[in-house]
Amino acid sequence: YAGVEDRPLESGGVEISPGVHAIPVRGATVYLVAEERLTLIDAGLPGSRQPLLSYLHGIGRSITELERIICTHGHPDHIGGVHELVGPQVEVLMHPADLAALRGTFRDVLAASHGGSRRGHFIQYLTRHPGEATPIEDGDVLPVLGELKVIHTPGHTPGSICLYAPGPRILFSGDVLTVARGRLGFASTFFSHDIKAARASVRGLASCDIEQIAFSHFPVWRNDANGAIARLVDRPKS
């Protein structure tokens, strides 16, 4: 399902579409959109700065060109590296539900229901807040790849988002989608705050015309992405 069209680059990343680079960092794959300025989707765990710098050097770009970091959700493998990358010129964007949740207390963790919700709250409780950030909401359109649409897909975390670029037909799915045994799957039941909500959120992706799904922890999916999402949405509940 990963496809064979990626162009490998020296530091281990690949260009999945013109100007869109998948870069392995600590704990996740982040996505770099290289236009006149640079946009980073997610930031990995702390310690992710060096692999990103190496990759940028390999493609002749600089961290000083970074304009924004869009975080798909507030878990440490997605926002942990933010503090190593921010500067006066870098805007951090995240859904307000996760910005608020990251300021939660241990009492909030104990008040959460058992199962996935409590584990998810505990992980978020341990995650460092990114600091000053710009809230982004469902339906917002960012000036990236022509336009990059924000789709709020709560459940994995309260503020989980996907990002959809209709031009190149890429869906950046964060952790809202997974892959298991060659099949597209829902968010992890172990790490999600609200598993039912996470599954329901996927229905909001079915109307997008998608050629590639860019995951945070799996290779890019190119095999009938629209059909795979439709089948997932229609899958009988187990």
Side-chain angles (χ1 to χ4, degrees):
Y1 54 81
V4 294
E5 300 301 322
D6 293 334
R7 287 182 278 164
L9 297 175
E10 290 183 4
S11 56
V14 292
E15 187 172 25
I16 67 169
S17 184
V20 182
H21 304 263
I23 308 171
V25 296
R26 289 199 65 208
T29 296
V30 302
Y31 291 90
L32 176 76
V33 181
E35 299 176 309
E36 182 177 354
R37 300 286 292 174
L38 302 178
T39 295
L40 191 65
I41 298 174
D42 287 326
L45 289 166
S48 293
R49 178 182 172 88
Q50 191 53 52
L52 178 61
L53 291 180
S54 297
Y55 190 91
L56 289 171
H57 178 75
I59 63 172
R61 302 299 293 261
S62 168
I63 192 67
T64 60
E65 300 173 75
L66 183 62
E67 182 171 348
R68 64 179 66 83
I69 303 172
I70 310 168
C71 298
T72 61
H73 61 286
H75 276 169
D77 51 338
H78 294 261
I79 68 171
V82 163
H83 289 277
E84 305 169 343
L85 301 172
V86 294
Q89 83 285 0
V90 180
E91 182 181 27
V92 178
L93 302 98
M94 186 184 297
H95 194 277
D98 270 9
L99 289 171
L102 286 166
R103 296 198 184 282
T105 66
F106 192 65
R107 185 184 297 272
D108 297 325
V109 176
L110 295 177
S113 62
H114 291 282
S117 180
R118 177 167 287 181
R119 287 190 294 266
H121 277 79
F122 185 67
I123 291 167
Q124 204 158 54
Y125 169 71
L126 296 175
T127 303
R128 184 181 178 187
H129 195 284
E132 185 176 350
T134 300
I136 49 176
E137 303 271 7
D138 183 68
D140 285 352
V141 178
L142 307 175
V144 180
L145 292 171
E147 58 179 35
L148 190 62
K149 298 181 179 180
V150 177
I151 304 173
H152 185 206
T153 47
H156 181 61
T157 65
S160 285
I161 60 169
C162 290
L163 299 163
Y164 173 57
R169 299 167 60 206
I170 301 173
L171 179 75
F172 301 95
S173 64
D175 285 353
V176 170
L177 296 171
T178 59
V179 178
R181 296 183 294 277
R183 288 207 309 174
L184 196 64
F186 294 109
S188 164
T189 57
F190 188 84
F191 294 110
S192 294
H193 288 221
D194 185 330
I195 297 162
K196 289 183 179 179
R199 294 182 174 185
S201 289
V202 175
R203 290 194 174 274
L205 307 176
S207 62
C208 299
D209 182 17
I210 301 165
E211 183 175 58
Q212 302 185 72
I213 304 173
F215 306 93
S216 297
H217 302 287
F218 306 94
V220 173
W221 183 293
R222 294 192 179 88
N223 181 18
D224 184 21
N226 291 323
I229 290 176
R231 288 188 292 274
L232 180 62
V233 167
D234 293 337
R235 188 179 299 172
K237 295 180 181 178
S238 57

